Amino acid sequence: VRYSSDEACKELCLEIDGCEAVVTSPMFWYWTECFIIGEYTLSTNDASGWDTAERECFDRDVRRPIIRTDRPTNDTTTPPVDPTENPTEPRDTDCFKANLRTSELS
């Protein structure tokens, strides 16, 4: 959908079953968009200008298991919650991380 605000992207995610993250396309594009993401992995490859907010950051009722690559693949753990704010973050929420995008799980 067309981007209107970080808050609108997060609200849309909260309304959609299976939403695990929201991703915004670069703000310098003519049409900036907000993408609703299901299962994913995070990547910095070709991520310049893309920003990602994981649902676990803005919806405290959700905890996404992280698959550890240093353990058997059927072992998952719940990530720790770190509500630390970064006051220098230019976005209206500290959940959006700059230059980070999602890619399909393999």
Side-chain angles (χ1 to χ4, degrees), residues 40-95:
Y40 64 93
T41 57
L42 294 172
S43 175
T44 55
N45 293 337
D46 298 318
S48 180
W50 292 82
D51 299 330
T52 298
E54 295 180 274
R55 185 171 179 159
E56 66 184 18
C57 182
F58 58 86
D59 183 357
R60 296 296 182 196
D61 293 333
V62 172
R63 295 291 176 260
R64 179 175 172 259
I66 295 178
I67 300 173
R68 303 285 184 183
T69 57
D70 59 338
R71 298 181 185 162
T73 57
N74 63 351
D75 183 25
T76 60
T77 60
T78 302
V81 175
D82 182 9
T84 305
E85 290 188 30
N86 179 356
T88 61
E89 181 73 31
R91 308 294 302 259
D92 64 359
T93 176
D94 65 334
C95 290

Side-chain angles (χ1 to χ4, degrees), residues 12-57:
L12 184 60
C13 179
L14 294 173
E15 294 172 5
I16 296 177
D17 288 338
C19 176
E20 296 294 327
V22 291
V23 177
T24 59
S25 58
M27 295 294 173
F28 56 84
W29 284 10
Y30 184 76
W31 294 102
T32 300
E33 295 180 282
C34 173
F35 297 89
I36 303 302
I37 307 297
E39 292 184 29
Y40 64 93
T41 57
L42 294 172
S43 175
T44 55
N45 293 337
D46 298 318
S48 180
W50 292 82
D51 299 330
T52 298
E54 295 180 274
R55 185 171 179 159
E56 66 184 18
C57 182

